[in-house]
């Protein structure tokens, strides 16, 4: 493990106390981190604050009031891990009352390490079905949350689609006792299992099955006692009183109620034990076998907790982080993982009071990697005499979370600093390059299938790996069934764009992949506006017929292609056509740019290079040119505007003719051929016939992933954007970046914002795409376009608000 970066508060607010003690953190599958500290709003408002950040811009922290004045000990993101207007996606519980929240249903994609070389994603990632804990009409899982109180009560709140909240409280058992620690897990049948402990290692760890139902519009809770256990360290006479307190109680996974991790501690040391719930046969006395022969034929089975492993005496544990990656734990898969040194999902993190962090195997608890906080970076310009002396307790993590692929660890120490650590997939073992690529490729495929964010995987991609990873990812993608390829088509483009940012040799492909995402979005939106002339038409939709006819007719005359279409299906409201002009202008400008760059196709560092051999994208542009031609007959002002040297120049016809010739060279039906000299010569003449537009390519993201280097951690400050040295990737894009003071553009609406925009904007945390926060449009068609990007960007990344001064 090595340190990626450290974030700290540059100055503590005057109204706060000394550097706070963080109490909880949570890492969502969408790469957002929420954490709490002891900070208060001010002297009058004593409510605790919750801080949220994305790992790509960790200095840009957003703090909100929790509306609780008590200490917050548990944070939990919901299953989707997304943020949205009018809905809170994490819940909090004051005091020592753990709370866990989720939809409590769905499917889990489990990694089969043994089948990592299979061609089908369905074989690599097996789907394990989990029944909902509670369903709505049609089997849709109901949202809600469950909490366990200090006094031994279980509270369930259910959120109905209407917004009504149904709440019920029940005792876990008849004899209520104090609950100091609690955790929950789910069974495949939809039941909820609750584990509790009173904090004393001399007391048993209790387990309960909780069933939730709705009866007569009221929430009902039924509980059942399950087998309990005593920690083994308390049964050892030599160590019976050495570890008096249970400090950590965790199920190893939310969907694994059969395995639990326990930690007992003293003032200076700890011990960790892993237990498993198994079915065992109950021995039957011979007397009962003689009375009832049936009993002897079929031995009764009972559930019993058995210890899997235990550590030796350790330094006092301060925090525990469990893996979220659902990896197969069969003996065969574990052996393959050991042989190939593929360890994501197999290790859990233990933080100690001496400042170290150990990654231990989730089953054997054997140490796999160690990190010492003494390697944390210090500012080079900080005088040694001003550095604080460590007279107090050693700096150590108070809360930790592993990323969703277990390749990164975030921790918050007792001084309020947030640290990000990289965890190698091989736990530091030296691997062959091809094997290292296989490990990263396997995890990228998993994120592509599940939709989880792949930011932590990028931490381990070296620039020399990028080209091979992109090629292999594309090969695996093309092996899948056509239906699955269609589902994953945009996600793989976003993933390729993220990878290409990391190498100066592939940086211009970032622009190409984003342009392809934009082209796909425009094509699907414009086609969705087409309506059949007769509503009960049994054949294909107008969009499908457009694709079929344009693929069949290879004529270079746009009007001859248009004649074969049912033009009445393309009739739209005049206001709608005019509102779409900015998008249509982008299509026209992009076609002109591509054709003008054809003579320079040997320059791979020129954006748009990959389009010149992409028959699918060229065919899509050709279809849109036909649609624009038809709409131009209805509303000439919606047509793309070109600056031509001749008043009689039919620019649309000229561009369509050249585009068709280029498309024929690389369409899917036949082998790719080189453009003939006539086509290249005609494209050479384009700058003398039409003014070539300067396209507004995607701005370079100001995130960290492309700037982090191995063994060179960064020190950052919350609320203060860093001035980082430009990477080689950034230098390659200098010619594509707008200079300071030049007009800026809304990348999704294609509207010019001016040099100093007055409208609030938002930027994508992944690709840097910028768009206005509020819509200036009122047309239904444009609103339909904007609705696509309310939650996520083109690339699937989340939005963050930008200050007015830097749109």
């Amino acid at each position: 493990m090595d340190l990626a970066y450290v974030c700290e508060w540059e100055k503590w607010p005057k109204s706060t106390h000394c550097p706070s003690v963080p109490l909880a953190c949570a890492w969502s599958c969408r790469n957002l981190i929420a954490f709490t500290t002891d900070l208060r709003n001010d002297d009058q408002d004593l409510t605790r604050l919750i801080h949220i950040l994305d790992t790509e811009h960790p200095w840009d922290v957003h703090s909100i009031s929790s509306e609780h004045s008590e200490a917050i000990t548990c944070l939990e993101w919901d299953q989707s891990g997304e943020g949205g207007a009018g809905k809170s996606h994490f819940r909090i519980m004051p005091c020592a009352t753990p709370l866990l929240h989720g939809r409590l249903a769905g499917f889990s994609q489990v990694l089969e390490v043994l089948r990592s070389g299979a061609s089908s994603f369905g074989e690599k990632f097996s789907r394990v079905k989990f029944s909902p804990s509670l369903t709505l009409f049609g089997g849709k899982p109901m949202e809600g949350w469950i909490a366990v109180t200090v006094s031994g009560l279980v509270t369930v709140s259910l959120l109905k689609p209407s917004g009504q909240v149904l709440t019920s409280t029940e005792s876990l058992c008849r004899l209520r006792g104090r609950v100091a620690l609690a955790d929950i897990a789910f069974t495949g049948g939809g039941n909820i299992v609750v584990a509790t402990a009173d904090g004393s290692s001399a007391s048993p760890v209790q387990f309960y099955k909780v069933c939730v139902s709705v009866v007569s519009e009221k929430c009902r809770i039924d509980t059942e006692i399950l087998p309990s256990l005593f920690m083994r360290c308390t049964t050892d006479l030599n160590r019976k009183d050495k570890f008096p307190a249970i400090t950590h109680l965790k199920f190893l996974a939310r969907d694994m109620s059969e395995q639990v991790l326990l930690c007992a501690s003293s003032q200076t040391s700890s011990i960790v034990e892993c237990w498993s719930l198994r079915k065992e046969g109950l021995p039957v006395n011979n007397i009962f076998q003689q009375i009832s022969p049936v009993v002897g034929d079929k031995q009764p089975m009972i559930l019993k907790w058995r210890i899997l492993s235990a550590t030796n005496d350790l330094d006092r544990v301060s925090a525990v982080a469990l893996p979220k990656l659902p990896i197969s734990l069969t003996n065969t898969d574990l052996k393959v993982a050991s042989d190939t040194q593929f360890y994501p999902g197999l290790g859990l993190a233990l933080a100690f009071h001496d400042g170290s962090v150990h990654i231990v195997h989730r089953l054997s608890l054997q140490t796999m990697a160690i990190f010492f906080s003494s390697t944390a970076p210090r500012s080079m310009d900080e005088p040694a005499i001003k550095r604080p002396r460590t007279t107090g307790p050693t700096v150590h993590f108070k809360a930790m979370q592993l990323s969703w692929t277990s390749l990164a660890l975030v921790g918050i120490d007792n001084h309020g600093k947030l640290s990000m650590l990289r965890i190698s997939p091989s736990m530091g073992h030296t691997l062959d390059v091809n094997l290292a690529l296989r490990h990263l490729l396997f995890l990228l495929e998993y994120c592509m299938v599940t939709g989880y964010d792949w930011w932590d995987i990028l931490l381990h991609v070296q620039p020399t790996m990028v080209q091979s990873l992109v090629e292999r990812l594309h090969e695996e993608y093309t092996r899948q069934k056509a239906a699955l390829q269609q589902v994953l088509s945009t996600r793989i483009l976003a993933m390729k764009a993220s990878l290409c940012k990391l190498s100066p040799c592939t940086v211009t492909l970032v622009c190409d992949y984003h342009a392809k995402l934009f082209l796909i979005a425009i094509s699907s939106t414009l086609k969705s506006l087409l309506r059949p002339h007769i509503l009960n038409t049994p054949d294909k939709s107008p969009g499908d017929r457009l694709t079929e006819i344009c693929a069949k007719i290879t004529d270079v005359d746009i009007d001859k292609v248009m004649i074969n279409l049912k033009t009445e299906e393309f009739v739209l409201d005049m206001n709608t056509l005019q509102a779409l002009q900015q998008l249509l202008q982008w299509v026209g400008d992009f076609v002109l740019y591509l054709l003008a760059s054809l003579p320079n196709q040997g320059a791979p560092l020129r954006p748009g290079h990959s389009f010149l051999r992409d028959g699918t994208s060229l065919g899509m542009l050709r279809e849109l040119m036909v649609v624009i031609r038809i709409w131009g007959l209805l509303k000439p002002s919606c047509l793309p505007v070109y600056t031509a040297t001749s008043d009689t120049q039919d620019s649309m016809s000229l561009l369509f003719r050249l585009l068709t010739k280029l498309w024929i060279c690389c369409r899917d039906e036949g082998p790719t051929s080189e453009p003939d000299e006539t086509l290249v010569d005609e494209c050479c003449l384009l700058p003398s016939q039409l003014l070539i537009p300067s396209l507004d390519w995607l701005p370079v993201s100001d995130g960290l992933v492309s700037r982090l280097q191995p063994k060179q951690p960064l020190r950052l400050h919350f609320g203060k954007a860093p001035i980082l040295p430009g990477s080689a990737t950034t230098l390659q894009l200098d010619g594509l970046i707008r200079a300071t003071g030049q007009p800026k553009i809304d990348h999704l609406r294609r509207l010019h914002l001016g040099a100093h925009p007055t409208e609030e904007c938002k930027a994508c945390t992944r690709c840097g795409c910028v768009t206005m926060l509020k819509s200036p449009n009122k047309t239904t068609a444009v609103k339909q376009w904007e609705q696509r990007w309310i939650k996520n960007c083109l690339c699937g990344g989340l939005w963050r608000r930008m200050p007015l001064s830097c749109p």
Side-chain angles (χ1 to χ4, degrees), residues 594-610:
L594 290 179
L595 293 173
S597 63
L598 181 61
N600 298 320
Q601 58 180 315
L605 290 180
R606 185 182 178 91
H609 171 76
S610 63

PDB file of all heavy atoms in Angstrom, residues 594-610:
ATOM      1  N   LEU A 594     -14.524  16.654 -39.718  1.00  0.00           N
ATOM      2  CA  LEU A 594     -13.968  15.339 -40.012  1.00  0.00           C
ATOM      3  C   LEU A 594     -13.487  15.239 -41.456  1.00  0.00           C
ATOM      4  O   LEU A 594     -12.394  14.727 -41.720  1.00  0.00           O
ATOM      5  CB  LEU A 594     -15.003  14.249 -39.728  1.00  0.00           C
ATOM      6  CG  LEU A 594     -15.358  13.971 -38.265  1.00  0.00           C
ATOM      7  CD1 LEU A 594     -16.407  12.871 -38.171  1.00  0.00           C
ATOM      8  CD2 LEU A 594     -14.122  13.578 -37.471  1.00  0.00           C
ATOM      9  N   LEU A 595     -14.308  15.727 -42.371  1.00  0.00           N
ATOM     10  CA  LEU A 595     -13.933  15.632 -43.778  1.00  0.00           C
ATOM     11  C   LEU A 595     -12.718  16.505 -44.075  1.00  0.00           C
ATOM     12  O   LEU A 595     -11.833  16.122 -44.853  1.00  0.00           O
ATOM     13  CB  LEU A 595     -15.111  16.042 -44.655  1.00  0.00           C
ATOM     14  CG  LEU A 595     -16.320  15.095 -44.608  1.00  0.00           C
ATOM     15  CD1 LEU A 595     -17.495  15.693 -45.373  1.00  0.00           C
ATOM     16  CD2 LEU A 595     -15.960  13.730 -45.175  1.00  0.00           C
ATOM     17  N   ALA A 596     -12.625  17.667 -43.447  1.00  0.00           N
ATOM     18  CA  ALA A 596     -11.479  18.542 -43.681  1.00  0.00           C
ATOM     19  C   ALA A 596     -10.199  17.967 -43.079  1.00  0.00           C
ATOM     20  O   ALA A 596      -9.096  18.293 -43.543  1.00  0.00           O
ATOM     21  CB  ALA A 596     -11.754  19.920 -43.087  1.00  0.00           C
ATOM     22  N   SER A 597     -10.347  17.098 -42.068  1.00  0.00           N
ATOM     23  CA  SER A 597      -9.160  16.507 -41.446  1.00  0.00           C
ATOM     24  C   SER A 597      -8.741  15.206 -42.118  1.00  0.00           C
ATOM     25  O   SER A 597      -7.719  14.629 -41.730  1.00  0.00           O
ATOM     26  CB  SER A 597      -9.426  16.248 -39.962  1.00  0.00           C
ATOM     27  OG  SER A 597     -10.469  15.298 -39.794  1.00  0.00           O
ATOM     28  N   LEU A 598      -9.493  14.730 -43.122  1.00  0.00           N
ATOM     29  CA  LEU A 598      -9.146  13.481 -43.789  1.00  0.00           C
ATOM     30  C   LEU A 598      -7.754  13.513 -44.418  1.00  0.00           C
ATOM     31  O   LEU A 598      -6.999  12.539 -44.307  1.00  0.00           O
ATOM     32  CB  LEU A 598     -10.206  13.136 -44.840  1.00  0.00           C
ATOM     33  CG  LEU A 598      -9.976  11.819 -45.611  1.00  0.00           C
ATOM     34  CD1 LEU A 598      -9.977  10.631 -44.657  1.00  0.00           C
ATOM     35  CD2 LEU A 598     -11.048  11.625 -46.682  1.00  0.00           C
ATOM     36  N   PRO A 599      -7.346  14.588 -45.104  1.00  0.00           N
ATOM     37  CA  PRO A 599      -5.979  14.604 -45.661  1.00  0.00           C
ATOM     38  C   PRO A 599      -4.891  14.478 -44.610  1.00  0.00           C
ATOM     39  O   PRO A 599      -3.779  14.065 -44.919  1.00  0.00           O
ATOM     40  CB  PRO A 599      -5.917  15.964 -46.369  1.00  0.00           C
ATOM     41  CG  PRO A 599      -7.327  16.301 -46.688  1.00  0.00           C
ATOM     42  CD  PRO A 599      -8.121  15.761 -45.533  1.00  0.00           C
ATOM     43  N   ASN A 600      -5.192  14.817 -43.353  1.00  0.00           N
ATOM     44  CA  ASN A 600      -4.202  14.721 -42.271  1.00  0.00           C
ATOM     45  C   ASN A 600      -4.444  13.506 -41.395  1.00  0.00           C
ATOM     46  O   ASN A 600      -4.137  13.512 -40.203  1.00  0.00           O
ATOM     47  CB  ASN A 600      -4.249  15.979 -41.401  1.00  0.00           C
ATOM     48  CG  ASN A 600      -3.904  17.220 -42.174  1.00  0.00           C
ATOM     49  OD1 ASN A 600      -2.996  17.197 -42.997  1.00  0.00           O
ATOM     50  ND2 ASN A 600      -4.639  18.296 -41.934  1.00  0.00           N
ATOM     51  N   GLN A 601      -5.053  12.449 -41.971  1.00  0.00           N
ATOM     52  CA  GLN A 601      -5.437  11.289 -41.176  1.00  0.00           C
ATOM     53  C   GLN A 601      -4.234  10.556 -40.601  1.00  0.00           C
ATOM     54  O   GLN A 601      -4.372   9.739 -39.689  1.00  0.00           O
ATOM     55  CB  GLN A 601      -6.250  10.320 -42.022  1.00  0.00           C
ATOM     56  CG  GLN A 601      -5.515   9.821 -43.271  1.00  0.00           C
ATOM     57  CD  GLN A 601      -6.353   8.864 -44.074  1.00  0.00           C
ATOM     58  OE1 GLN A 601      -6.964   7.969 -43.510  1.00  0.00           O
ATOM     59  NE2 GLN A 601      -6.416   9.048 -45.381  1.00  0.00           N
ATOM     60  N   GLY A 602      -3.057  10.827 -41.075  1.00  0.00           N
ATOM     61  CA  GLY A 602      -1.877  10.171 -40.523  1.00  0.00           C
ATOM     62  C   GLY A 602      -1.425  10.764 -39.211  1.00  0.00           C
ATOM     63  O   GLY A 602      -0.443  10.305 -38.633  1.00  0.00           O
ATOM     64  N   ALA A 603      -2.094  11.790 -38.731  1.00  0.00           N
ATOM     65  CA  ALA A 603      -1.719  12.434 -37.463  1.00  0.00           C
ATOM     66  C   ALA A 603      -2.646  11.957 -36.354  1.00  0.00           C
ATOM     67  O   ALA A 603      -3.725  12.513 -36.168  1.00  0.00           O
ATOM     68  CB  ALA A 603      -1.794  13.955 -37.609  1.00  0.00           C
ATOM     69  N   PRO A 604      -2.275  10.912 -35.618  1.00  0.00           N
ATOM     70  CA  PRO A 604      -3.174  10.355 -34.594  1.00  0.00           C
ATOM     71  C   PRO A 604      -3.416  11.291 -33.429  1.00  0.00           C
ATOM     72  O   PRO A 604      -4.338  11.073 -32.660  1.00  0.00           O
ATOM     73  CB  PRO A 604      -2.427   9.087 -34.140  1.00  0.00           C
ATOM     74  CG  PRO A 604      -0.994   9.334 -34.479  1.00  0.00           C
ATOM     75  CD  PRO A 604      -0.998  10.186 -35.699  1.00  0.00           C
ATOM     76  N   LEU A 605      -2.578  12.324 -33.242  1.00  0.00           N
ATOM     77  CA  LEU A 605      -2.789  13.245 -32.130  1.00  0.00           C
ATOM     78  C   LEU A 605      -3.826  14.298 -32.447  1.00  0.00           C
ATOM     79  O   LEU A 605      -4.059  15.201 -31.662  1.00  0.00           O
ATOM     80  CB  LEU A 605      -1.469  13.923 -31.749  1.00  0.00           C
ATOM     81  CG  LEU A 605      -0.434  13.017 -31.084  1.00  0.00           C
ATOM     82  CD1 LEU A 605       0.828  13.788 -30.753  1.00  0.00           C
ATOM     83  CD2 LEU A 605      -1.000  12.378 -29.826  1.00  0.00           C
ATOM     84  N   ARG A 606      -4.465  14.205 -33.610  1.00  0.00           N
ATOM     85  CA  ARG A 606      -5.504  15.151 -33.983  1.00  0.00           C
ATOM     86  C   ARG A 606      -6.858  14.599 -33.551  1.00  0.00           C
ATOM     87  O   ARG A 606      -7.224  13.489 -33.919  1.00  0.00           O
ATOM     88  CB  ARG A 606      -5.482  15.383 -35.495  1.00  0.00           C
ATOM     89  CG  ARG A 606      -6.447  16.442 -35.986  1.00  0.00           C
ATOM     90  CD  ARG A 606      -6.374  16.558 -37.502  1.00  0.00           C
ATOM     91  NE  ARG A 606      -7.317  17.531 -38.013  1.00  0.00           N
ATOM     92  CZ  ARG A 606      -7.053  18.812 -38.194  1.00  0.00           C
ATOM     93  NH1 ARG A 606      -5.861  19.271 -37.881  1.00  0.00           N
ATOM     94  NH2 ARG A 606      -7.961  19.632 -38.670  1.00  0.00           N
ATOM     95  N   PRO A 607      -7.651  15.341 -32.766  1.00  0.00           N
ATOM     96  CA  PRO A 607      -8.969  14.847 -32.359  1.00  0.00           C
ATOM     97  C   PRO A 607      -9.833  14.524 -33.574  1.00  0.00           C
ATOM     98  O   PRO A 607      -9.791  15.213 -34.590  1.00  0.00           O
ATOM     99  CB  PRO A 607      -9.552  16.021 -31.563  1.00  0.00           C
ATOM    100  CG  PRO A 607      -8.374  16.784 -31.092  1.00  0.00           C
ATOM    101  CD  PRO A 607      -7.337  16.649 -32.162  1.00  0.00           C
ATOM    102  N   GLY A 608     -10.616  13.458 -33.470  1.00  0.00           N
ATOM    103  CA  GLY A 608     -11.457  13.017 -34.568  1.00  0.00           C
ATOM    104  C   GLY A 608     -10.822  11.951 -35.425  1.00  0.00           C
ATOM    105  O   GLY A 608     -11.469  11.406 -36.323  1.00  0.00           O
ATOM    106  N   HIS A 609      -9.572  11.612 -35.150  1.00  0.00           N
ATOM    107  CA  HIS A 609      -8.844  10.644 -35.972  1.00  0.00           C
ATOM    108  C   HIS A 609      -9.560   9.294 -36.019  1.00  0.00           C
ATOM    109  O   HIS A 609      -9.648   8.668 -37.075  1.00  0.00           O
ATOM    110  CB  HIS A 609      -7.424  10.481 -35.439  1.00  0.00           C
ATOM    111  CG  HIS A 609      -6.647   9.369 -36.073  1.00  0.00           C
ATOM    112  ND1 HIS A 609      -6.117   9.471 -37.338  1.00  0.00           N
ATOM    113  CD2 HIS A 609      -6.341   8.118 -35.622  1.00  0.00           C
ATOM    114  CE1 HIS A 609      -5.496   8.340 -37.645  1.00  0.00           C
ATOM    115  NE2 HIS A 609      -5.616   7.514 -36.618  1.00  0.00           N
ATOM    116  N   SER A 610     -10.071   8.821 -34.863  1.00  0.00           N
ATOM    117  CA  SER A 610     -10.685   7.491 -34.822  1.00  0.00           C
ATOM    118  C   SER A 610     -11.997   7.426 -35.595  1.00  0.00           C
ATOM    119  O   SER A 610     -12.427   6.338 -35.992  1.00  0.00           O
ATOM    120  CB  SER A 610     -10.916   7.072 -33.366  1.00  0.00           C
ATOM    121  OG  SER A 610     -11.838   7.942 -32.725  1.00  0.00           O
TER     122      SER A 610
END
